[in-house]
Amino acid sequence: MLRILALILLGGAQPCFADTSDDLFLRINQERTAAGLAPLTRSPKLDQLASEWAATMACNNAQSHRPLSKSLLNTNGWKNLSENIYGPTADGSASAIFRAWMGSSGHRENLLRESTTLGGIGIAKTKSGAICAVFNGAKLAPPTPVATSSSNSSSSEVAFPGVGLPDFVPKSMRDPAAALPSNSDGRKLNQLGRTNL
């Protein structure tokens, strides 16, 4: 276990699997191109994530998905994240892994997701020699706009003067019909030029 983790931390996937992961990544991009999709960009960060999880599966000699959390997305600046797993099994060739993923609708969908722009591969071996493989796909989240002055508040708030509400209502309450409680006679909604529907 320590040897596997040391190899991951020092250089990503284990050197003996570099050709297999490169071949697998090439096959994924060929399939995406054939489907009319843009090829994925190889991400060292996703390679590391996939390698860590492949090593975990190999250490446990069991197939399981990583718990994908919002904090994992936020920490890495990803908008989305998908995962395909394989093994542990005796055939760890790129063609066997690729066939297995393409033969499963959910795994195929992950590989051919149009919104995915980055990819990474991790491969590890159990003590008995079985192979575990992981694909992680992601897309970078768009940069968050930073408010520079109070004049930008109109993008997140909207004013409803003179209707007995605070001067500004949060963006989530911009639709008065949805935000305000409805009275049976519709008085509050009619103050905003709306009627009860």
Side-chain angles (χ1 to χ4, degrees):
M1 168 83 172
L2 291 177
R3 181 176 170 274
I4 291 171
L5 291 176
L7 286 170
I8 290 168
L9 295 175
L10 292 175
Q14 295 180 40
C16 60
F17 297 120
D19 289 344
T20 304
S21 66
D22 289 346
D23 186 13
L24 184 54
F25 199 80
L26 178 65
R27 289 170 187 260
I28 292 167
N29 273 339
Q30 287 172 339
E31 189 67 28
R32 287 179 64 86
T33 302
L37 300 169
L40 299 175
T41 301
R42 190 86 181 252
S43 164
K45 202 183 274 192
L46 287 170
D47 276 344
Q48 181 179 352
L49 187 73
S51 296
E52 288 170 356
W53 196 249
T56 298
M57 289 193 331
C59 182
N60 295 332
N61 197 29
Q63 186 181 74
S64 62
H65 279 285
R66 171 193 299 273
L68 300 179
S69 65
K70 196 163 198 143
S71 66
L72 183 62
L73 292 173
N74 294 339
T75 300
N76 292 288
W78 296 320
K79 181 178 180 178
N80 61 30
L81 180 64
S82 61
E83 179 176 79
N84 286 359
I85 57 176
Y86 174 85
T89 189
D91 190 350
S93 66
S95 61
I97 299 166
F98 183 72
R99 270 194 320 273
W101 286 342
M102 292 304 288
S104 161
S105 61
H107 292 98
R108 179 184 174 86
E109 184 180 316
N110 281 344
L111 297 178
L112 300 180
R113 183 169 284 130
E114 187 174 1
S115 62
T116 299
T117 58
L118 305 170
I121 302 284
I123 301 174
K125 189 183 283 191
T126 67
K127 286 181 182 179
S128 65
I131 299 298
C132 296
V134 176
F135 163 82
N136 283 121
K139 179 178 183 172
L140 288 175
T144 305
V146 178
T148 55
S149 70
S150 62
S151 65
N152 288 341
S153 67
S154 63
S155 67
S156 63
E157 298 176 326
V158 64
F160 291 104
V163 293
L165 294 173
D167 285 342
F168 289 93
V169 176
K171 185 177 182 178
S172 62
M173 296 177 68
R174 279 190 181 184
D175 182 359
L180 295 174
S182 173
N183 290 346
S184 60
D185 62 3
R187 279 180 290 185
K188 284 189 178 181
L189 296 179
N190 285 334
Q191 288 177 344
L192 298 170
R194 303 268 177 135
T195 59
N196 254 349
L197 300 176

